Amino acid sequence: MDTDEFWNLIETARSNTTADHRFHQAMVALLVYRSPPDILEYEARFDALHDALYRWDVWAAAYLIGGGCSDDSFMDFRAGLITQGRTWYERAAAAPDRLGDHPEVIAAASAFEDRALFYEEVNYCAAEAYEHHTGDPDAFYEAWKQYEADHPDPGPETDMGEDFDFDDAGEMQGRLPRLAALFLADGSADGCLQQQDRLRVRGFEGSSHE
């Protein structure tokens, strides 16, 4: 499965999404008609795009949008970005602060919500579709382990870029001005305190990245 075919699947699932049939359900419904090898190819493409977003600047964007962002939540955020389609994925990958223009992010900031773009279930679409073929919930993970052994990744690990303090309001405003304007009020120290209040509610107090 090449990149174009993967993104076509994403767009088809988006088109099939309704209030009662969420994206992850629409994607599983598409994947169950694929062969098990095709499902593994889908997962390989998903993982490559997911891993490419494993960067400090993307994590900082997730931290602002989510009112904090643990390792697991960052996985969900990157999965959610993929569900937004190729255009938004590539915008976010090129410059995470452009997510400050995303309608869902703007709406979430206005409503003081903190889960825009986070989407845990999307991480498991391939496994669920594979189980439809085998009836075995463990079969996908066994097949995926073998797939990875047969297709070693020769490339270097993703460069996360420069680490920085997510709780430094000035730093966040300088690096992510659009998102800081939405989630840190005026981007001042007072705005950072508002963000830290959200962290306490979410249980992330005491760590910049966890």
Side-chain angles (χ1 to χ4, degrees):
M1 181 180 293
D2 62 18
T3 300
D4 289 339
E5 185 178 0
F6 176 88
W7 285 120
N8 285 338
L9 265 178
I10 294 291
E11 289 304 322
T12 301
R14 285 173 56 80
S15 297
N16 293 343
T17 297
T18 67
D20 298 323
H21 191 65
R22 297 182 63 206
F23 176 91
H24 71 282
Q25 296 168 314
M27 177 55 75
V28 171
L30 291 172
L31 290 175
V32 295
Y33 289 103
R34 300 282 184 134
S35 67
D38 280 349
I39 295 172
L40 294 174
E41 289 287 342
Y42 164 88
E43 181 68 11
R45 185 59 57 188
F46 179 91
D47 276 8
L49 292 165
H50 195 265
D51 290 348
L53 294 174
Y54 192 69
R55 303 187 336 234
W56 291 123
D57 56 350
V58 180
W59 203 331
Y63 189 85
L64 285 174
I65 293 168
C69 187
S70 66
D71 291 0
D72 287 346
S73 290
F74 190 39
M75 289 181 60
D76 302 343
F77 182 79
R78 288 178 284 149
L81 281 182
I82 293 172
T83 72
Q84 298 303 305
R86 189 172 197 165
T87 297
W88 272 111
Y89 175 92
E90 291 180 350
R91 284 179 184 173
D97 194 43
R98 296 182 72 179
L99 290 171
D101 297 327
H102 193 291
E104 290 184 28
V105 173
I106 294 171
S110 299
F112 300 100
E113 296 176 352
D114 56 16
R115 296 307 294 170
L117 307 183
F118 290 77
Y119 203 153
E120 179 182 3
E121 293 89 345
V122 177
N123 291 302
Y124 311 113
C125 288
E128 187 173 341
Y130 206 92
E131 184 179 349
H132 275 270
H133 283 274
T134 65
D136 181 356
D138 297 323
F140 169 78
Y141 300 100
E142 295 168 0
W144 180 244
K145 183 177 180 180
Q146 186 60 53
Y147 182 95
E148 288 187 306
D150 294 340
H151 301 81
D153 183 1
E157 292 185 6
T158 301
D159 181 3
M160 291 188 70
E162 181 185 359
D163 190 6
F164 54 96
D165 185 357
F166 294 176
D167 289 324
D168 184 325
E171 187 82 31
M172 295 296 260
Q173 186 181 27
R175 293 176 183 265
L176 301 166
R178 298 178 193 177
L179 288 170
L182 288 172
F183 293 98
L184 295 183
D186 59 359
S188 66
D190 288 341
C192 194
L193 288 173
Q194 292 176 15
Q195 181 76 347
Q196 289 170 350
D197 286 342
R198 298 171 74 207
L199 293 179
R200 281 190 283 273
V201 172
R202 293 285 306 282
F204 292 121
E205 184 180 20
S207 173
S208 293
H209 306 146
E210 298 177 0

PDB file of all heavy atoms in Angstrom, residues 12 15 18 27 43-44 79 117 133 154-155 160 165 190:
ATOM      1  N   THR A  12     -11.934   8.124   2.363  1.00  0.00           N
ATOM      2  CA  THR A  12     -13.165   7.339   2.245  1.00  0.00           C
ATOM      3  C   THR A  12     -13.799   7.129   3.614  1.00  0.00           C
ATOM      4  O   THR A  12     -15.016   7.268   3.780  1.00  0.00           O
ATOM      5  CB  THR A  12     -12.879   5.981   1.579  1.00  0.00           C
ATOM      6  OG1 THR A  12     -12.309   6.202   0.282  1.00  0.00           O
ATOM      7  CG2 THR A  12     -14.165   5.178   1.425  1.00  0.00           C
ATOM      8  N   SER A  15     -15.446  10.240   4.702  1.00  0.00           N
ATOM      9  CA  SER A  15     -16.711  10.444   3.991  1.00  0.00           C
ATOM     10  C   SER A  15     -17.820   9.568   4.559  1.00  0.00           C
ATOM     11  O   SER A  15     -19.007   9.927   4.490  1.00  0.00           O
ATOM     12  CB  SER A  15     -16.534  10.147   2.501  1.00  0.00           C
ATOM     13  OG  SER A  15     -15.621  11.039   1.911  1.00  0.00           O
ATOM     14  N   THR A  18     -20.299   9.378  10.366  1.00  0.00           N
ATOM     15  CA  THR A  18     -21.499  10.102  10.794  1.00  0.00           C
ATOM     16  C   THR A  18     -21.483  10.199  12.313  1.00  0.00           C
ATOM     17  O   THR A  18     -20.585   9.659  12.982  1.00  0.00           O
ATOM     18  CB  THR A  18     -22.785   9.378  10.348  1.00  0.00           C
ATOM     19  OG1 THR A  18     -22.883   8.124  11.064  1.00  0.00           O
ATOM     20  CG2 THR A  18     -22.783   9.105   8.846  1.00  0.00           C
ATOM     21  N   MET A  27     -13.400   3.152   9.360  1.00  0.00           N
ATOM     22  CA  MET A  27     -12.145   2.598   8.850  1.00  0.00           C
ATOM     23  C   MET A  27     -12.108   1.082   9.008  1.00  0.00           C
ATOM     24  O   MET A  27     -11.693   0.353   8.095  1.00  0.00           O
ATOM     25  CB  MET A  27     -10.962   3.239   9.585  1.00  0.00           C
ATOM     26  CG  MET A  27      -9.607   2.674   9.165  1.00  0.00           C
ATOM     27  SD  MET A  27      -9.315   2.765   7.366  1.00  0.00           S
ATOM     28  CE  MET A  27      -8.965   4.516   7.198  1.00  0.00           C
ATOM     29  N   GLU A  43      -1.278  -0.900   8.359  1.00  0.00           N
ATOM     30  CA  GLU A  43      -0.669  -0.604   9.652  1.00  0.00           C
ATOM     31  C   GLU A  43       0.746  -0.065   9.486  1.00  0.00           C
ATOM     32  O   GLU A  43       1.167   0.846  10.217  1.00  0.00           O
ATOM     33  CB  GLU A  43      -0.650  -1.858  10.532  1.00  0.00           C
ATOM     34  CG  GLU A  43      -0.058  -1.651  11.913  1.00  0.00           C
ATOM     35  CD  GLU A  43      -0.913  -0.756  12.806  1.00  0.00           C
ATOM     36  OE1 GLU A  43      -2.071  -0.446  12.446  1.00  0.00           O
ATOM     37  OE2 GLU A  43      -0.401  -0.364  13.874  1.00  0.00           O
ATOM     38  N   ALA A  44       1.481  -0.608   8.532  1.00  0.00           N
ATOM     39  CA  ALA A  44       2.844  -0.133   8.293  1.00  0.00           C
ATOM     40  C   ALA A  44       2.842   1.329   7.860  1.00  0.00           C
ATOM     41  O   ALA A  44       3.671   2.134   8.314  1.00  0.00           O
ATOM     42  CB  ALA A  44       3.527  -0.999   7.234  1.00  0.00           C
ATOM     43  N   ALA A  79      -2.507   9.987  16.219  1.00  0.00           N
ATOM     44  CA  ALA A  79      -3.510   9.204  15.496  1.00  0.00           C
ATOM     45  C   ALA A  79      -4.637  10.110  15.022  1.00  0.00           C
ATOM     46  O   ALA A  79      -5.123   9.997  13.887  1.00  0.00           O
ATOM     47  CB  ALA A  79      -4.062   8.096  16.393  1.00  0.00           C
ATOM     48  N   LEU A 117      -8.888  16.622  18.526  1.00  0.00           N
ATOM     49  CA  LEU A 117      -7.931  15.871  17.698  1.00  0.00           C
ATOM     50  C   LEU A 117      -7.371  14.623  18.366  1.00  0.00           C
ATOM     51  O   LEU A 117      -6.718  13.811  17.699  1.00  0.00           O
ATOM     52  CB  LEU A 117      -6.775  16.763  17.224  1.00  0.00           C
ATOM     53  CG  LEU A 117      -7.163  18.058  16.507  1.00  0.00           C
ATOM     54  CD1 LEU A 117      -5.908  18.783  16.027  1.00  0.00           C
ATOM     55  CD2 LEU A 117      -8.103  17.800  15.337  1.00  0.00           C
ATOM     56  N   HIS A 133     -11.050 -11.320  10.473  1.00  0.00           N
ATOM     57  CA  HIS A 133     -10.628 -12.400   9.582  1.00  0.00           C
ATOM     58  C   HIS A 133     -10.311 -13.681  10.337  1.00  0.00           C
ATOM     59  O   HIS A 133     -10.561 -14.776   9.841  1.00  0.00           O
ATOM     60  CB  HIS A 133      -9.381 -11.968   8.788  1.00  0.00           C
ATOM     61  CG  HIS A 133      -9.676 -11.041   7.651  1.00  0.00           C
ATOM     62  ND1 HIS A 133     -10.030 -11.484   6.387  1.00  0.00           N
ATOM     63  CD2 HIS A 133      -9.669  -9.688   7.578  1.00  0.00           C
ATOM     64  CE1 HIS A 133     -10.232 -10.443   5.597  1.00  0.00           C
ATOM     65  NE2 HIS A 133     -10.016  -9.338   6.293  1.00  0.00           N
ATOM     66  N   PRO A 154      15.246   0.378   7.622  1.00  0.00           N
ATOM     67  CA  PRO A 154      16.665   0.729   7.543  1.00  0.00           C
ATOM     68  C   PRO A 154      16.935   2.188   7.869  1.00  0.00           C
ATOM     69  O   PRO A 154      18.080   2.604   8.019  1.00  0.00           O
ATOM     70  CB  PRO A 154      17.002   0.454   6.075  1.00  0.00           C
ATOM     71  CG  PRO A 154      15.712   0.745   5.354  1.00  0.00           C
ATOM     72  CD  PRO A 154      14.605   0.329   6.297  1.00  0.00           C
ATOM     73  N   GLY A 155      15.889   2.994   7.971  1.00  0.00           N
ATOM     74  CA  GLY A 155      16.054   4.432   8.159  1.00  0.00           C
ATOM     75  C   GLY A 155      16.432   4.791   9.578  1.00  0.00           C
ATOM     76  O   GLY A 155      16.299   3.993  10.514  1.00  0.00           O
ATOM     77  N   MET A 160      13.584  14.165  17.002  1.00  0.00           N
ATOM     78  CA  MET A 160      12.555  14.881  17.746  1.00  0.00           C
ATOM     79  C   MET A 160      12.769  16.381  17.757  1.00  0.00           C
ATOM     80  O   MET A 160      11.897  17.136  18.191  1.00  0.00           O
ATOM     81  CB  MET A 160      12.473  14.353  19.176  1.00  0.00           C
ATOM     82  CG  MET A 160      11.930  12.943  19.283  1.00  0.00           C
ATOM     83  SD  MET A 160      11.631  12.467  21.008  1.00  0.00           S
ATOM     84  CE  MET A 160      10.216  13.507  21.413  1.00  0.00           C
ATOM     85  N   ASP A 165      10.803  23.838  27.292  1.00  0.00           N
ATOM     86  CA  ASP A 165       9.918  23.800  28.452  1.00  0.00           C
ATOM     87  C   ASP A 165       8.498  24.162  28.029  1.00  0.00           C
ATOM     88  O   ASP A 165       8.210  25.305  27.684  1.00  0.00           O
ATOM     89  CB  ASP A 165      10.422  24.779  29.505  1.00  0.00           C
ATOM     90  CG  ASP A 165       9.619  24.724  30.802  1.00  0.00           C
ATOM     91  OD1 ASP A 165       8.629  23.960  30.859  1.00  0.00           O
ATOM     92  OD2 ASP A 165       9.993  25.443  31.754  1.00  0.00           O
ATOM     93  N   ASP A 190       0.224  34.785  33.203  1.00  0.00           N
ATOM     94  CA  ASP A 190      -1.121  34.469  33.688  1.00  0.00           C
ATOM     95  C   ASP A 190      -1.757  33.392  32.827  1.00  0.00           C
ATOM     96  O   ASP A 190      -2.450  32.505  33.320  1.00  0.00           O
ATOM     97  CB  ASP A 190      -2.006  35.723  33.674  1.00  0.00           C
ATOM     98  CG  ASP A 190      -1.614  36.702  34.772  1.00  0.00           C
ATOM     99  OD1 ASP A 190      -0.938  36.276  35.731  1.00  0.00           O
ATOM    100  OD2 ASP A 190      -1.983  37.893  34.657  1.00  0.00           O
TER     101      ASP A 190
END
